[in-house]
Amino acid sequence: MAGAGAYDVIVVGSGAGGGTIAHRLTHEGMRVLLIEEGRWLQPGAHSRYIRHVHPDRTQPIACVGGQTKFYGAALYRLREADFEAVAHEAGVSPAWPILYDDLEPYYDQAERLYRVHGATEADPTEPPHARAYPHGAIASHPRIGGLVEQLAATGLHPAPIPRALDRRDGLGACRMCPACDAHQCGFDAKMDAETAAIRPAMGTGRLTVADGTRCVAVLTESGGRGVRGVRVACDGVEEEIAAGVVVVAGGVPRSAMLLRRSRTAKHREGLGNAGGALGRYLAGHSAGVVFPLVRWPELAEIHTKSFSINDYYHGSAEWPFPLGIIQTAGQMPFWTELPRSLRPVAKAIGRHSLICFCMSEALPTRTSGLHFDGDAVSHTVEPTVSAVSFRRLTRLATEAFRNAGYPCIAPPRAPQLWHQVGTARMGLDAGDSVVDADLQVHGIRGLYVADASVLPSAGAVNTSLTIMALALRCGDHIAGRRYAAFDRRVPAHRCAGGVPELVGARGEMPPSTRR
């Protein structure tokens, strides 16, 4: 890695938040070091199913691009109401320190960066857009189109899922494979953080990617009021790297754990933890699956992640509380994860049905999240589940498909926690949040968090686009821009000469430069 003073900003983590903010900062003329504990994945490799949909939160995916390398590329905007306090069956989803209108321009920018295909008119819950999606919606496969039409005939509003794919009216690299969810794309057609953000950032000549490198601690000045760099470890060797700005973007739970183990005499309980909020207020989605049977004999290997039903997002005629979203998934051999005795039946169901997610909002509390014992996590408290609402959503999903003429199977399983957010949430009060509305850690100049950890709530739609939009907004704050919600400026950190080499931690050229 380059010598002292070589970087304006150090970003720790290369997923939806880290990769996106690295793109913004390098295009603002700043020299960025991107630290990633994992390695570059081999480009062009065949897709491979992994347990991404419900990963062990203590062992999140580590690779350049983070979990986006295996996400389903569903890039939704949170709904306007999600930024406000909303009463749920089991509690209140908290208000954010910003409103939807503050983030709307950055949603638009993120959609263009990640080449999102979508439609604003089909979904009754779609929030206002200043501009249309950059690319038109991707139509459902003809074998699924009949199901969509039948659902619409019952009075529902099935809508295209906004997707981050290099489709571009059929002229891009996307081949509409059956496997998008939980797979790496073998054609570089999924617009993940590495493909859409990190590679273009490297093209500026201002980004160094240190893969295979672990950030041991964030370093603060002697007074504890400002950041001065990081301590990293690679191949058993530790070194300190200086920078006036550090962005922590390791995701849940890594970011909170890094801030905890960076504690000093001035910050005894961890950076940003003066009010005891670090690690707490974990939230996410209560998620489960239903299986509408759509074809006999087996469903062909086609692209199935194409539509969702959001009619029940804010509730129903019989239920005043928010329910959530019903969303089709890609084809996944989920039966391989089950006990051997259950696999034959599960495989038969999977081969003849769509996989549809039902997702409701799981609510944060002061105690939900990571509880520390020293620098280790002693235990985790789950967010609050609105159990009745989730059961109602599942029942409405099965009824919707059955009313459309498609038998539907709903396994009797408790919901799982997906799309975790919080543990370093944003807020105006240091007593119940870790970062402010600009994502700067309370009381520590130059230290930011830009990943899922900062979201005060998860809504019920996929959270990746919101993470990306917040990262772009934070990047503008770091670069010294003024925007409508907060009328203030910060000093810009500009390139002062010298171009870092585009090398990995061991001096290896990343795969994108070998092409």
Side-chain angles (χ1 to χ4, degrees), residues 414-469:
Q416 295 178 298
L417 179 63
W418 292 357
H419 303 143
Q420 300 159 60
V421 303
T423 69
R425 73 170 181 172
M426 62 192 299
L428 301 178
D429 185 352
D432 59 12
S433 62
V434 174
V435 301
D436 64 19
D438 296 317
L439 307 192
Q440 185 167 225
V441 173
H442 290 299
I444 304 180
R445 183 182 61 259
L447 178 57
Y448 297 82
V449 182
D451 59 23
S453 306
V454 304
L455 274 64
S457 62
V461 292
N462 307 57
T463 54
S464 294
L465 186 71
T466 299
I467 297 166
M468 296 162 180

Side-chain angles (χ1 to χ4, degrees), residues 15-17 20 52 65 67-79 100 106-120 123 126-127 129 132-135 137-138 159-166 180-181 189-197 285 305-308 310 313 325 327-328 359 419 458 460-470 472:
T20 303
H52 169 56
Q67 297 198 46
T68 66
K69 294 299 294 183
F70 301 94
Y71 74 161
L75 294 191
Y76 280 95
R77 298 181 178 202
L78 287 180
R79 282 31 194 162
Y100 172 81
Y106 294 98
Y107 274 135
D108 178 79
Q109 293 172 31
E111 287 162 352
R112 290 169 204 288
L113 177 60
Y114 284 85
R115 301 182 187 176
V116 177
H117 295 66
T120 59
D123 186 343
E126 186 75 34
H129 288 232
Y133 281 105
H135 304 283
I138 297 173
I161 299 172
R163 302 293 306 285
L165 300 174
D166 182 22
C180 253
D181 274 352
K190 180 158 56 178
M191 293 293 99
D192 54 57
E194 183 230 330
T195 304
H285 293 148
K305 191 176 182 70
S306 60
F307 74 90
S308 64
N310 282 353
Y313 196 90
I325 182 174
Q327 180 185 132
T328 51
M359 296 193 301
H419 303 143
V461 292
N462 307 57
T463 54
S464 294
L465 186 71
T466 299
I467 297 166
M468 296 162 180
L470 286 170
L472 292 174

Side-chain angles (χ1 to χ4, degrees), residues 304-383:
T304 56
K305 191 176 182 70
S306 60
F307 74 90
S308 64
I309 302 170
N310 282 353
D311 294 67
Y312 311 118
Y313 196 90
H314 300 298
S316 67
E318 297 78 22
W319 191 247
F321 301 111
L323 290 169
I325 182 174
I326 304 161
Q327 180 185 132
T328 51
Q331 294 185 355
M332 293 176 284
F334 62 89
W335 51 86
T336 63
E337 305 297 324
L338 299 176
R340 191 174 298 274
S341 61
L342 300 178
R343 290 179 190 175
V345 173
K347 183 176 181 179
I349 294 172
R351 292 292 194 191
H352 298 89
S353 67
L354 294 178
I355 302 172
C356 291
F357 300 146
C358 295
M359 296 193 301
S360 296
E361 183 172 352
L363 304 174
T365 67
R366 177 70 178 190
T367 58
S368 66
L370 314 175
H371 290 251
F372 294 107
D373 181 6
D375 293 341
V377 176
S378 62
H379 63 284
T380 301
V381 175
E382 299 287 300

